[in-house]
Amino acid sequence: MERDDVVAPLVDAIRMLTHAELVDYSGHASTRRDAVSFYINSGASIRPIVTAADIVAIDFDGKPVDAGSTTDSTVRRGVSPPLEFPLHAEIYRARPDVRAIMHTHPKWSTLLTMTGVPFRPVYPQGALLGDVPVFDSPLSVNTREMGERVARTLGAGAALLLKSHGAVVVGATVVECFALAAYLEENASRQYLAMQIGTPYVFSAAEQQLCRERLATPGLFKKTWDHYFSKL
Ligand SMILES: [Zn+2]
């Protein structure tokens, strides 16, 4: 696929993540380029108005690749990947099935980690996240060693929370990854609100399984994407 075809949905996703307040002035999203490299928004990019020129292609050591295309001009302008690129690199290295990763700073999901409240599925789409482990450090994931620890904590899962910091969501496509990132925060906000008036009902294992079978579909992911896209 051409660079533009791969990068365009990534740009849309970052704008939507910002619009939905899942990403603020930092936070980043990436999509796999090949077995050894990926596209990611630059550390300096202004998230709500990010464009294809803000996307850099780097290998798992953070070195620019793809010179000769748009990235060539971005490299000349000194555009660098975010400091936390090892978070993406080490998940791609460990998980060949992952083709998109989003690191967000969502308020409600992070609030749960600040107080040690485990994420629990309390609405149907929340079940699609499965078990969401918590990475036991609030610090920036900016070394290969930390990236490897994050990848190990994520395991084969779809998401993990970084204590008092943010969330990491992965997917087989940018559309799926975006939808899961939205569901994660929506579930956490509902869980938090329910806790203000009582003990939230947590979906049983059988209910979670049914939700996954019925809702983890490309059709629902695209519908979720289109919903957020229409609000840009
Ligand atoms: Zn972060």
PDB file of all heavy atoms in Angstrom, residues 55-82:
ATOM      1  N   ILE A  55       3.419  12.816  10.297  1.00  0.00           N
ATOM      2  CA  ILE A  55       3.608  11.381  10.529  1.00  0.00           C
ATOM      3  C   ILE A  55       5.003  10.978  10.080  1.00  0.00           C
ATOM      4  O   ILE A  55       5.409  11.274   8.950  1.00  0.00           O
ATOM      5  CB  ILE A  55       2.552  10.557   9.751  1.00  0.00           C
ATOM      6  CG1 ILE A  55       1.135  11.025  10.091  1.00  0.00           C
ATOM      7  CG2 ILE A  55       2.745   9.071  10.036  1.00  0.00           C
ATOM      8  CD1 ILE A  55       0.711  10.852  11.536  1.00  0.00           C
ATOM      9  N   VAL A  56       5.727  10.328  10.967  1.00  0.00           N
ATOM     10  CA  VAL A  56       7.079   9.864  10.630  1.00  0.00           C
ATOM     11  C   VAL A  56       7.084   8.340  10.564  1.00  0.00           C
ATOM     12  O   VAL A  56       6.304   7.668  11.251  1.00  0.00           O
ATOM     13  CB  VAL A  56       8.128  10.339  11.666  1.00  0.00           C
ATOM     14  CG1 VAL A  56       8.295  11.839  11.596  1.00  0.00           C
ATOM     15  CG2 VAL A  56       7.757   9.925  13.071  1.00  0.00           C
ATOM     16  N   ALA A  57       7.959   7.822   9.719  1.00  0.00           N
ATOM     17  CA  ALA A  57       8.152   6.373   9.631  1.00  0.00           C
ATOM     18  C   ALA A  57       9.477   6.044  10.297  1.00  0.00           C
ATOM     19  O   ALA A  57      10.511   6.631   9.969  1.00  0.00           O
ATOM     20  CB  ALA A  57       8.166   5.921   8.175  1.00  0.00           C
ATOM     21  N   ILE A  58       9.434   5.145  11.283  1.00  0.00           N
ATOM     22  CA  ILE A  58      10.662   4.807  12.018  1.00  0.00           C
ATOM     23  C   ILE A  58      10.752   3.290  12.196  1.00  0.00           C
ATOM     24  O   ILE A  58       9.746   2.580  12.124  1.00  0.00           O
ATOM     25  CB  ILE A  58      10.708   5.473  13.420  1.00  0.00           C
ATOM     26  CG1 ILE A  58       9.467   5.104  14.239  1.00  0.00           C
ATOM     27  CG2 ILE A  58      10.869   6.974  13.292  1.00  0.00           C
ATOM     28  CD1 ILE A  58       9.547   5.556  15.697  1.00  0.00           C
ATOM     29  N   ASP A  59      11.987   2.835  12.432  1.00  0.00           N
ATOM     30  CA  ASP A  59      12.157   1.419  12.766  1.00  0.00           C
ATOM     31  C   ASP A  59      12.039   1.243  14.282  1.00  0.00           C
ATOM     32  O   ASP A  59      11.757   2.202  15.007  1.00  0.00           O
ATOM     33  CB  ASP A  59      13.477   0.871  12.205  1.00  0.00           C
ATOM     34  CG  ASP A  59      14.709   1.511  12.855  1.00  0.00           C
ATOM     35  OD1 ASP A  59      14.583   2.132  13.946  1.00  0.00           O
ATOM     36  OD2 ASP A  59      15.805   1.398  12.276  1.00  0.00           O
ATOM     37  N   PHE A  60      12.254   0.038  14.769  1.00  0.00           N
ATOM     38  CA  PHE A  60      12.011  -0.235  16.188  1.00  0.00           C
ATOM     39  C   PHE A  60      13.064   0.413  17.106  1.00  0.00           C
ATOM     40  O   PHE A  60      12.899   0.428  18.324  1.00  0.00           O
ATOM     41  CB  PHE A  60      11.946  -1.745  16.438  1.00  0.00           C
ATOM     42  CG  PHE A  60      10.757  -2.417  15.770  1.00  0.00           C
ATOM     43  CD1 PHE A  60      10.703  -3.795  15.613  1.00  0.00           C
ATOM     44  CD2 PHE A  60       9.679  -1.669  15.311  1.00  0.00           C
ATOM     45  CE1 PHE A  60       9.615  -4.412  15.001  1.00  0.00           C
ATOM     46  CE2 PHE A  60       8.585  -2.263  14.692  1.00  0.00           C
ATOM     47  CZ  PHE A  60       8.552  -3.642  14.541  1.00  0.00           C
ATOM     48  N   ASP A  61      14.117   0.956  16.499  1.00  0.00           N
ATOM     49  CA  ASP A  61      15.101   1.713  17.289  1.00  0.00           C
ATOM     50  C   ASP A  61      14.849   3.219  17.204  1.00  0.00           C
ATOM     51  O   ASP A  61      15.643   4.003  17.726  1.00  0.00           O
ATOM     52  CB  ASP A  61      16.512   1.395  16.806  1.00  0.00           C
ATOM     53  CG  ASP A  61      16.874  -0.072  17.018  1.00  0.00           C
ATOM     54  OD1 ASP A  61      16.541  -0.608  18.097  1.00  0.00           O
ATOM     55  OD2 ASP A  61      17.456  -0.689  16.106  1.00  0.00           O
ATOM     56  N   GLY A  62      13.786   3.600  16.509  1.00  0.00           N
ATOM     57  CA  GLY A  62      13.442   5.022  16.398  1.00  0.00           C
ATOM     58  C   GLY A  62      14.134   5.730  15.254  1.00  0.00           C
ATOM     59  O   GLY A  62      14.028   6.960  15.134  1.00  0.00           O
ATOM     60  N   LYS A  63      14.825   4.993  14.399  1.00  0.00           N
ATOM     61  CA  LYS A  63      15.537   5.638  13.279  1.00  0.00           C
ATOM     62  C   LYS A  63      14.582   5.844  12.108  1.00  0.00           C
ATOM     63  O   LYS A  63      13.802   4.950  11.760  1.00  0.00           O
ATOM     64  CB  LYS A  63      16.714   4.756  12.827  1.00  0.00           C
ATOM     65  CG  LYS A  63      17.795   4.609  13.880  1.00  0.00           C
ATOM     66  CD  LYS A  63      19.129   4.244  13.250  1.00  0.00           C
ATOM     67  CE  LYS A  63      20.200   4.113  14.329  1.00  0.00           C
ATOM     68  NZ  LYS A  63      19.856   3.063  15.316  1.00  0.00           N
ATOM     69  N   PRO A  64      14.651   7.019  11.463  1.00  0.00           N
ATOM     70  CA  PRO A  64      13.746   7.291  10.333  1.00  0.00           C
ATOM     71  C   PRO A  64      13.972   6.312   9.178  1.00  0.00           C
ATOM     72  O   PRO A  64      15.113   5.952   8.883  1.00  0.00           O
ATOM     73  CB  PRO A  64      14.125   8.714   9.907  1.00  0.00           C
ATOM     74  CG  PRO A  64      14.913   9.278  11.015  1.00  0.00           C
ATOM     75  CD  PRO A  64      15.552   8.142  11.757  1.00  0.00           C
ATOM     76  N   VAL A  65      12.891   5.895   8.578  1.00  0.00           N
ATOM     77  CA  VAL A  65      12.959   5.107   7.350  1.00  0.00           C
ATOM     78  C   VAL A  65      12.065   5.834   6.339  1.00  0.00           C
ATOM     79  O   VAL A  65      11.547   6.897   6.633  1.00  0.00           O
ATOM     80  CB  VAL A  65      12.467   3.658   7.576  1.00  0.00           C
ATOM     81  CG1 VAL A  65      13.407   2.916   8.493  1.00  0.00           C
ATOM     82  CG2 VAL A  65      11.061   3.641   8.158  1.00  0.00           C
ATOM     83  N   ASP A  66      11.952   5.311   5.141  1.00  0.00           N
ATOM     84  CA  ASP A  66      11.014   5.884   4.180  1.00  0.00           C
ATOM     85  C   ASP A  66      11.500   7.207   3.612  1.00  0.00           C
ATOM     86  O   ASP A  66      10.711   8.016   3.143  1.00  0.00           O
ATOM     87  CB  ASP A  66       9.635   6.091   4.847  1.00  0.00           C
ATOM     88  CG  ASP A  66       8.517   6.236   3.835  1.00  0.00           C
ATOM     89  OD1 ASP A  66       8.694   5.800   2.689  1.00  0.00           O
ATOM     90  OD2 ASP A  66       7.470   6.794   4.203  1.00  0.00           O
ATOM     91  N   ALA A  67      12.812   7.465   3.643  1.00  0.00           N
ATOM     92  CA  ALA A  67      13.320   8.709   3.045  1.00  0.00           C
ATOM     93  C   ALA A  67      12.965   8.721   1.563  1.00  0.00           C
ATOM     94  O   ALA A  67      12.937   7.703   0.908  1.00  0.00           O
ATOM     95  CB  ALA A  67      14.834   8.792   3.217  1.00  0.00           C
ATOM     96  N   GLY A  68      12.691   9.901   1.045  1.00  0.00           N
ATOM     97  CA  GLY A  68      12.320  10.013  -0.364  1.00  0.00           C
ATOM     98  C   GLY A  68      10.842  10.297  -0.528  1.00  0.00           C
ATOM     99  O   GLY A  68      10.413  10.728  -1.582  1.00  0.00           O
ATOM    100  N   SER A  69      10.060  10.073   0.516  1.00  0.00           N
ATOM    101  CA  SER A  69       8.634  10.427   0.448  1.00  0.00           C
ATOM    102  C   SER A  69       8.409  11.648   1.324  1.00  0.00           C
ATOM    103  O   SER A  69       9.334  12.379   1.650  1.00  0.00           O
ATOM    104  CB  SER A  69       7.783   9.254   0.930  1.00  0.00           C
ATOM    105  OG  SER A  69       7.947   9.119   2.316  1.00  0.00           O
ATOM    106  N   THR A  70       7.183  11.841   1.748  1.00  0.00           N
ATOM    107  CA  THR A  70       6.856  13.009   2.583  1.00  0.00           C
ATOM    108  C   THR A  70       7.725  13.040   3.833  1.00  0.00           C
ATOM    109  O   THR A  70       8.092  14.101   4.323  1.00  0.00           O
ATOM    110  CB  THR A  70       5.369  12.946   3.006  1.00  0.00           C
ATOM    111  OG1 THR A  70       4.609  12.559   1.868  1.00  0.00           O
ATOM    112  CG2 THR A  70       4.909  14.276   3.538  1.00  0.00           C
ATOM    113  N   THR A  71       8.055  11.839   4.312  1.00  0.00           N
ATOM    114  CA  THR A  71       8.839  11.770   5.545  1.00  0.00           C
ATOM    115  C   THR A  71      10.193  12.465   5.371  1.00  0.00           C
ATOM    116  O   THR A  71      10.734  13.026   6.311  1.00  0.00           O
ATOM    117  CB  THR A  71       9.059  10.304   5.939  1.00  0.00           C
ATOM    118  OG1 THR A  71       7.797   9.670   5.975  1.00  0.00           O
ATOM    119  CG2 THR A  71       9.692  10.191   7.301  1.00  0.00           C
ATOM    120  N   ASP A  72      10.694  12.424   4.119  1.00  0.00           N
ATOM    121  CA  ASP A  72      11.975  13.058   3.858  1.00  0.00           C
ATOM    122  C   ASP A  72      11.924  14.531   4.265  1.00  0.00           C
ATOM    123  O   ASP A  72      12.812  15.030   4.951  1.00  0.00           O
ATOM    124  CB  ASP A  72      12.303  12.933   2.368  1.00  0.00           C
ATOM    125  CG  ASP A  72      13.766  13.250   2.096  1.00  0.00           C
ATOM    126  OD1 ASP A  72      14.578  13.035   3.005  1.00  0.00           O
ATOM    127  OD2 ASP A  72      14.060  13.713   1.001  1.00  0.00           O
ATOM    128  N   SER A  73      10.846  15.200   3.873  1.00  0.00           N
ATOM    129  CA  SER A  73      10.753  16.620   4.209  1.00  0.00           C
ATOM    130  C   SER A  73      10.516  16.810   5.699  1.00  0.00           C
ATOM    131  O   SER A  73      11.007  17.760   6.297  1.00  0.00           O
ATOM    132  CB  SER A  73       9.637  17.287   3.402  1.00  0.00           C
ATOM    133  OG  SER A  73       8.415  16.644   3.682  1.00  0.00           O
ATOM    134  N   THR A  74       9.765  15.862   6.321  1.00  0.00           N
ATOM    135  CA  THR A  74       9.528  16.021   7.754  1.00  0.00           C
ATOM    136  C   THR A  74      10.818  15.803   8.532  1.00  0.00           C
ATOM    137  O   THR A  74      11.070  16.470   9.521  1.00  0.00           O
ATOM    138  CB  THR A  74       8.448  15.043   8.268  1.00  0.00           C
ATOM    139  OG1 THR A  74       8.877  13.720   8.052  1.00  0.00           O
ATOM    140  CG2 THR A  74       7.121  15.281   7.611  1.00  0.00           C
ATOM    141  N   VAL A  75      11.642  14.858   8.054  1.00  0.00           N
ATOM    142  CA  VAL A  75      12.920  14.639   8.732  1.00  0.00           C
ATOM    143  C   VAL A  75      13.795  15.883   8.592  1.00  0.00           C
ATOM    144  O   VAL A  75      14.439  16.325   9.534  1.00  0.00           O
ATOM    145  CB  VAL A  75      13.628  13.388   8.166  1.00  0.00           C
ATOM    146  CG1 VAL A  75      15.050  13.304   8.681  1.00  0.00           C
ATOM    147  CG2 VAL A  75      12.864  12.136   8.546  1.00  0.00           C
ATOM    148  N   ARG A  76      13.767  16.488   7.395  1.00  0.00           N
ATOM    149  CA  ARG A  76      14.567  17.697   7.189  1.00  0.00           C
ATOM    150  C   ARG A  76      14.117  18.808   8.120  1.00  0.00           C
ATOM    151  O   ARG A  76      14.915  19.610   8.580  1.00  0.00           O
ATOM    152  CB  ARG A  76      14.451  18.165   5.725  1.00  0.00           C
ATOM    153  CG  ARG A  76      15.395  17.446   4.770  1.00  0.00           C
ATOM    154  CD  ARG A  76      15.603  18.277   3.504  1.00  0.00           C
ATOM    155  NE  ARG A  76      14.360  18.574   2.836  1.00  0.00           N
ATOM    156  CZ  ARG A  76      13.769  17.739   1.970  1.00  0.00           C
ATOM    157  NH1 ARG A  76      14.317  16.597   1.679  1.00  0.00           N
ATOM    158  NH2 ARG A  76      12.628  18.079   1.409  1.00  0.00           N
ATOM    159  N   ARG A  77      12.818  18.847   8.408  1.00  0.00           N
ATOM    160  CA  ARG A  77      12.314  19.887   9.301  1.00  0.00           C
ATOM    161  C   ARG A  77      12.568  19.528  10.764  1.00  0.00           C
ATOM    162  O   ARG A  77      12.149  20.239  11.665  1.00  0.00           O
ATOM    163  CB  ARG A  77      10.810  20.080   9.084  1.00  0.00           C
ATOM    164  CG  ARG A  77      10.502  20.919   7.862  1.00  0.00           C
ATOM    165  CD  ARG A  77       9.008  21.214   7.672  1.00  0.00           C
ATOM    166  NE  ARG A  77       8.138  20.773   8.725  1.00  0.00           N
ATOM    167  CZ  ARG A  77       7.082  19.982   8.540  1.00  0.00           C
ATOM    168  NH1 ARG A  77       6.815  19.496   7.356  1.00  0.00           N
ATOM    169  NH2 ARG A  77       6.311  19.664   9.544  1.00  0.00           N
ATOM    170  N   GLY A  78      13.236  18.426  10.985  1.00  0.00           N
ATOM    171  CA  GLY A  78      13.580  18.062  12.348  1.00  0.00           C
ATOM    172  C   GLY A  78      12.440  17.440  13.117  1.00  0.00           C
ATOM    173  O   GLY A  78      12.398  17.494  14.337  1.00  0.00           O
ATOM    174  N   VAL A  79      11.470  16.860  12.413  1.00  0.00           N
ATOM    175  CA  VAL A  79      10.339  16.233  13.089  1.00  0.00           C
ATOM    176  C   VAL A  79      10.764  14.880  13.643  1.00  0.00           C
ATOM    177  O   VAL A  79      11.271  14.034  12.910  1.00  0.00           O
ATOM    178  CB  VAL A  79       9.153  16.067  12.116  1.00  0.00           C
ATOM    179  CG1 VAL A  79       8.026  15.307  12.790  1.00  0.00           C
ATOM    180  CG2 VAL A  79       8.674  17.427  11.638  1.00  0.00           C
ATOM    181  N   SER A  80      10.585  14.687  14.942  1.00  0.00           N
ATOM    182  CA  SER A  80      11.056  13.466  15.593  1.00  0.00           C
ATOM    183  C   SER A  80       9.876  12.677  16.135  1.00  0.00           C
ATOM    184  O   SER A  80       8.832  13.247  16.453  1.00  0.00           O
ATOM    185  CB  SER A  80      11.977  13.816  16.765  1.00  0.00           C
ATOM    186  OG  SER A  80      13.006  14.658  16.333  1.00  0.00           O
ATOM    187  N   PRO A  81      10.062  11.369  16.279  1.00  0.00           N
ATOM    188  CA  PRO A  81       8.995  10.581  16.904  1.00  0.00           C
ATOM    189  C   PRO A  81       8.844  10.971  18.369  1.00  0.00           C
ATOM    190  O   PRO A  81       9.739  11.583  18.954  1.00  0.00           O
ATOM    191  CB  PRO A  81       9.499   9.142  16.765  1.00  0.00           C
ATOM    192  CG  PRO A  81      10.975   9.265  16.639  1.00  0.00           C
ATOM    193  CD  PRO A  81      11.231  10.569  15.942  1.00  0.00           C
ATOM    194  N   PRO A  82       7.718  10.612  18.996  1.00  0.00           N
ATOM    195  CA  PRO A  82       7.564  10.904  20.424  1.00  0.00           C
ATOM    196  C   PRO A  82       8.594  10.117  21.238  1.00  0.00           C
ATOM    197  O   PRO A  82       9.052   9.066  20.818  1.00  0.00           O
ATOM    198  CB  PRO A  82       6.139  10.448  20.726  1.00  0.00           C
ATOM    199  CG  PRO A  82       5.784   9.510  19.632  1.00  0.00           C
ATOM    200  CD  PRO A  82       6.558   9.917  18.425  1.00  0.00           C
TER     201      PRO A  82
END
